[in-house]
Amino acid sequence: MARTLCIHCNFALNTCICSAITNINNKVTVIILQHPSEEKIAKNTAKLLNLCLTDCQIIKGENNDDFSILKTLPVSSTVLLYPNENAINLDDNAEQASINNITHLIVVDGTWKKAYKVLQLTPLLNQFKTVSFKQLPKNRYAIRKAPRADSLSTLEAVAHSLLLIELLDPAPLYNVLDELIQKQTQHMPKHVKARYLD
């Protein structure tokens, strides 16, 4: 039998996070390219961003055909959040002039392996500058394990990016993430919960 979902946040009623949702007026447009495998994952954080940010769009797919929106974005002021050797560090004061120019932030939502696949299948992304961080914020998202030390959830990566680009207070986004963690772990046996949260 299918679970009843909240009509607003689309989580199951016993894990509804509506009480923690705050509308946030971000100036930088956030475009999330979501690998199809992420859509059904209950712990996926991209949809939290879509619920909170007033200027945020999730597009599902894997390649140029799926992400035709990339052809419409301003090349000079759109950046892709991805840590490669050419990435501009958003927390580097010397880069402040180019950071102030950013109007659109593209984020790939998926595991490192899936994100890499999206990049390989989407040459349209090559036209945009890449951005990253010198100093990662502490990972708050303990309930989803990642194989790399520099892994952040999509929500954490976007929250930190918007803090650095437009001084947007990340607290409301972290609050909704904390609510998700609390709701997702509330029915776990103590020994299972301890694996994630201790």
Side-chain angles (χ1 to χ4, degrees), residues 14 28 51 53 71 95 97 116 118 130 142 169 180 189:
N14 67 339
V28 172
L51 288 165
L53 298 176
K71 297 174 186 173
E95 299 287 357
Y116 181 75
V118 167
T130 54
D169 180 7
L180 175 67

Side-chain angles (χ1 to χ4, degrees), residues 70-183:
L70 298 175
K71 297 174 186 173
T72 70
L73 302 179
V75 174
S76 63
S77 60
T78 298
V79 294
L80 168 66
L81 183 61
Y82 194 80
N84 62 21
E85 65 277 3
N86 299 316
I88 296 165
N89 288 314
L90 294 174
D91 48 357
D92 184 348
N93 290 334
E95 299 287 357
Q96 208 54 54
S98 50
I99 292 166
N100 290 341
N101 184 44
I102 296 170
T103 59
H104 294 72
L105 176 70
I106 303 168
V107 184
V108 181
D109 181 48
T111 62
W112 281 113
K113 187 176 178 182
K114 298 284 172 56
Y116 181 75
K117 183 179 179 184
V118 167
L119 262 68
Q120 296 305 302
L121 295 175
T122 314
L124 280 170
L125 287 170
N126 296 334
Q127 65 189 311
F128 304 115
K129 285 182 279 205
T130 54
V131 295
S132 188
F133 319 118
K134 275 195 300 191
Q135 185 83 34
L136 281 180
K138 185 182 174 207
N139 187 330
R140 307 163 66 97
Y141 197 34
I143 59 172
R144 197 164 180 200
K145 298 299 183 186
R148 287 174 50 157
D150 60 347
S151 294
L152 294 173
S153 68
T154 298
L155 180 143
E156 291 170 297
V158 170
H160 194 56
S161 297
L162 294 179
L163 168 65
L164 296 170
I165 297 169
E166 59 172 272
L167 301 179
L168 191 76
D169 180 7
L173 290 172
Y174 291 147
N175 288 343
V176 78
L177 178 63
D178 291 343
E179 181 75 1
L180 175 67
I181 293 168
Q182 192 275 320
K183 290 293 177 71

Side-chain angles (χ1 to χ4, degrees), residues 8-40:
H8 181 53
C9 72
N10 209 36
F11 283 93
L13 291 180
N14 67 339
T15 56
C16 168
I17 46 92
C18 285
S19 63
I21 293 172
T22 305
N23 286 330
I24 302 164
N25 293 312
N26 53 308
K27 297 187 189 82
V28 172
T29 300
V30 176
I31 297 167
I32 300 171
L33 309 182
Q34 186 175 68
H35 190 276
S37 65
E38 291 293 307
E39 183 181 4
K40 300 290 185 192

